[in-house]
Amino acid sequence: MQGGWHSARVRRRLGFAVCGGALVALAGVLRLWWRDAATAGVMVSAIGAFVSVAALVADVLRGDADPVPHSADQDRRRAADALAEAVREQWAAEARLRRLQDPAPLDVAWAPAERWLADHPENVRRAQALPAPRGHRIEDVTRSFAALPGRRLVVLGGPGAGKSVLAMRFVLGRLAARRPGGPVPVIFPLAGWDPRRTALRDWLAEQLAAEHRPLAAVVDGRHTLARGLLDAGLVLPVLDGFDELARPAYGEAVRRINAELDDDLPLLLTSRAEAWAKAVTEGDVLTAAEVVELQPLDPDRSGAHLERTARPLRSEDGEPCTVWTPVLRELAARPDAPAARALTTPLMVALARAVYGDTRRDPSELLDPDRFPTVEAVEEHLLGAFVPAAFADAGPSAGTDAVRRLTVLARALERRGTGRLAWWELESMLPRAVSVLAPGLLAPALLSLIVLPISIARAANELAGVEDLASVLATLAGQTLGFAFGEAFLLPSRDAPPDRRALARRTLITAAVSSLLWAGFAWADDLRFGFRFGAVTDGWVPDLFGGCLFSLLFTLFFGIAGLPRHPVPLGLPWNGGAGRAVARICGAVLLPAGLGAAGAVLAGWSGNAWTGLVGLTCAGAGAALLVSAGRRSGQDSGHPARAGRVARRFTKGAVRGTAAALLIGVTACTAAGLTAAGVTILKSGSTADLSGRTIDGWSFTERRPGLRTATTDDELRGTLLIPGNGARPIAYPEGTRPPDCAIPLLRDRRCVPFTARHTVFESRDGAVVVRMDLENRTASRSPSPTTVYAANLRSVLPEPARGWLTAGPASGVLGRCLPPLLAGGVLIGIVGGCVCGVYRALSVPSDVMRAAGPGSSLRTDRTASFTRGGMVALLVAVVCVPVVALPGDWGGLVHIGTQLWLPLGSAALALSAWGRFAVARVWLAATGRLPWRLMTFLEDAHRRGVLRQSGAGFEFRHRRLQSYLAGRGTAPEAAVPPQTTGPSRPREARNRPV
């Protein structure tokens, strides 16, 4: 037991104190700020966020239920036990779906393969006699494997011979005989391994961690728990489908396996006979491994199975019969018939059973010599009729639709050269342009869905301050392009913390691209009056560059955090009951607080859109936390939890992310500011002397060198943004609207219309201010002229006057452009640190050890994505509060502070695995290639036996079915001719007859 903060009594008292303080604060808010509904709503949401942070602090102080210390070996064995339960659950369910026990498994005989395909008997047996197989049945493979001293076995067989089913039954058999703490058999489809690039152990550890996320936890600072299980001999790899490797890699694959096998590492490998012969010829045999080969089914065994699985029929003579009875009699009399020879593999027997499983189809058609003159014709017929038969009870068009949709998937898998269909990889089926541009379109679409309940019109006016439709479209196009570029060049190719080389590369890319974009911005806009965030621009071209820069920042933040270019499903780090309780507390506080704030806006108690958006974000994050904390399936991980690991990961990620983002942000903004100032100076050129002249009602005078004025008595209308706290107002000409007129917590901030009867532009060495005599002096509350920023009013001046007023030293242009960008670079560093901290804290592997199916992994990643997006938005909003409250609204940073947090949350969703899947799903459904309810269709195909589940992905029942649907068929592979001499391995008596 631990004392102090870790005692249960102190933890309970801390929890009650936090909840009590929150209630007292809530009461105070409702009492003091009830008249200001906007401020009250934001404060209620802020209190909810405070309670959530307090729960996070409690996680640091509390730890995880005082776990009993265990040795590393005990931890690994506990993890192995949890893994065994998950694997048993997965493959037992798959065996039920394949009806392996309905009514009994189809036994396939086996026999020892040619001796030259295996290692020397003395290496295999190690001075022990090899046990003779009893009956040569599949069950004997498990017993023979256990009796082998080296526990290594290679199983060969032709297409459809039952190798994958044997692997499944082998795993279930070994699990049934397994004792606690023993090795766990795990199937690894070899189609995804490239032995020329990746070591076997590294690939096995990656696959194991990907399928069972708790094993991705790093236990010794370097290796994952999955690698620890492999190194400790607690995983029995079942390498399925050696023949699905690239043909040139066969020899290298065998050499890799031999080089990385320890004496105590067992292994089962399945392959086609010709592929294994090629591998042995070009490479080596598998050290200390016996090789057996599956035999074709004899007609009696396949016929008996078809009879037992068919529906009984009433016969005229009273003898039991089925639809297969007359067919099997005919085939028994004609053993050389194409149908008889086709029904010698378990795959074709299973397909025949499915196709003729009811009385609507008659298998006697297989006897027609005109339709089926060859074995290949029979096999093609069974492959083609299988899918419609599987969907026969789903409706008249269900079979046709299923064939069309599965054909699309099969062709996509064939193009990729794989048999695995993972939902997060569906984006590979999109056109290149769509997959690149989609995240940039999805992020604003999700943002619009959040803003919609608060009224799009009000939000667009208050939050964006846009001028016209062209500016909106230009900004959207720029954001899309920025997302596309950032995704391609700023996100890492794999999920790994960035090293120094990656940091330097990202810094150079960001600085170079930012400089180019700011050069275009400065060329299209007029920065001679200075730069200010949220200012009025000259046309839509600057908005295009600005949107690109804005979204480039988002991908930069997530690139620093380590979000990969092709994300994989992630979970949330809730550990056991205690971790889920913390998530429930946070969610239970955020959800009602957020709904209350949003309800105040919808009910008309508050007219400020920010209050509703903050409330909706809190409510969304709270709901996601509650859902994620309430979902639990499977067994808890055997790896013990560590106290406060979420908070520590956040702190570590935030510190590293802030340092990296500060470096990149300040460097890029400095380069961008210098570039923008340089382009502005180059644009300026020489100007005509306007002193003493009058142009379009403007009078120009130069009282002394460097002091110039432009004066007009024409009426000037517009809107005045008053930041409050005595800060200088910002004027916007008629036809434009200031952004962020009202922000909760800033009571004095407001926008008022103005009419100026007398306007003076005053320039001192190029620095221009505007003084206006206002008709309505309630805005300024002073009889003297009102001084405002000049940049937004430059459009009212004649074109020659702009250059004349801003003429001055180059240092003046630099001083007016660079400081706001440097301040923006510092803000980038702070916000980037928050994003990195949240992503690192909430993207750890889930602590639920289970056989993660495709549907469950999709739901988990979707919930985790919404949680991360909501927490990113809330935390960035909290960080931006001091920026919003900055006296004087210096440089327009208030605009940046209000614009960053919500788009960052939607960007987190768009760049997640679920976001990519959502884009792919919509595109494929809209183009008619796949159904809208894609996962429902895939799960239905799995339930009907067309697909099989492989971890969190799907595969076709057999690779031949995939090839057939893809339109290629499967041609028989060229057999390897008998060898009179063995392959060139320096072992004696290699090719001697045994």
Side-chain angles (χ1 to χ4, degrees), residues 32-51:
L32 298 177
W33 281 291
W34 181 254
R35 294 182 180 179
D36 187 357
T39 303
V42 172
M43 289 300 296
V44 168
S45 300
I47 292 172
F50 166 75
V51 174

Side-chain angles (χ1 to χ4, degrees), residues 142 283 523:
T142 303
W523 188 264

